Amino acid sequence: RGGALHHIVFGDDEIAFQIGEAAQIHSGGVLQATPHAVKGCLPLTEEARHSSRESFAVFMQPFWEEEMSVPDGVEPAVAQAQAAIAALPPRVPPLASRWDNSMTFGKFTLKTIEMYH
């Protein structure tokens, strides 16, 4: 979590999960969202020029009207660790600028889109 990009490798019989901000909020910061980037590669062979990276994304998210709050007894401020904030890519707005403990997933989503566009 120093802000560096990491190439993640996993085997054919393994599955990888990217933890998002909903899980971060609902876990009270125990889980921290993972900034995500896909970087293309430079094809070095003729065969590689005719290849592509394919993926199948499945998004698990709360219902639109679900409350986006931390668990009882957890302070909302701990939902995003200071070290995680410091490691965010430059164009990613911190969670606290887009979320408050009383909003729904729908309102959080709209606020997040607004911050990027």
Side-chain angles (χ1 to χ4, degrees):
R1 274 231 183 252
L5 295 178
H6 299 276
H7 178 81
I8 306 301
V9 178
F10 51 96
D12 292 342
D13 60 345
E14 298 171 331
I15 188 168
F17 289 92
Q18 178 187 345
I19 300 299
E21 290 173 321
Q24 179 174 326
I25 292 166
H26 285 247
S27 72
V30 172
L31 301 172
Q32 293 287 305
T34 307
H36 175 244
V38 175
K39 185 177 177 183
C41 63
L42 178 64
L44 299 177
T45 66
E46 184 61 33
E47 184 178 78
R49 287 185 180 91
H50 301 287
S51 299
S52 66
R53 176 194 181 273
E54 303 295 331
S55 63
F56 179 74
V58 177
F59 294 94
M60 296 183 295
Q61 60 195 35
F63 290 116
W64 195 251
E65 291 301 321
E66 179 81 18
E67 223 176 74
M68 289 289 289
S69 56
V70 296
D72 289 341
V74 175
E75 288 296 320
V78 303
Q80 187 162 44
Q82 290 302 312
I85 294 170
L88 286 174
R91 292 182 295 206
V92 177
L95 184 60
S97 70
R98 300 174 279 120
W99 166 77
D100 71 61
N101 203 43
S102 66
M103 64 183 8
T104 64
F105 177 71
K107 287 181 180 176
F108 170 68
T109 299
L110 294 174
K111 180 71 173 177
T112 296
I113 291 168
E114 178 185 300
M115 295 290 287
Y116 281 97
H117 299 286

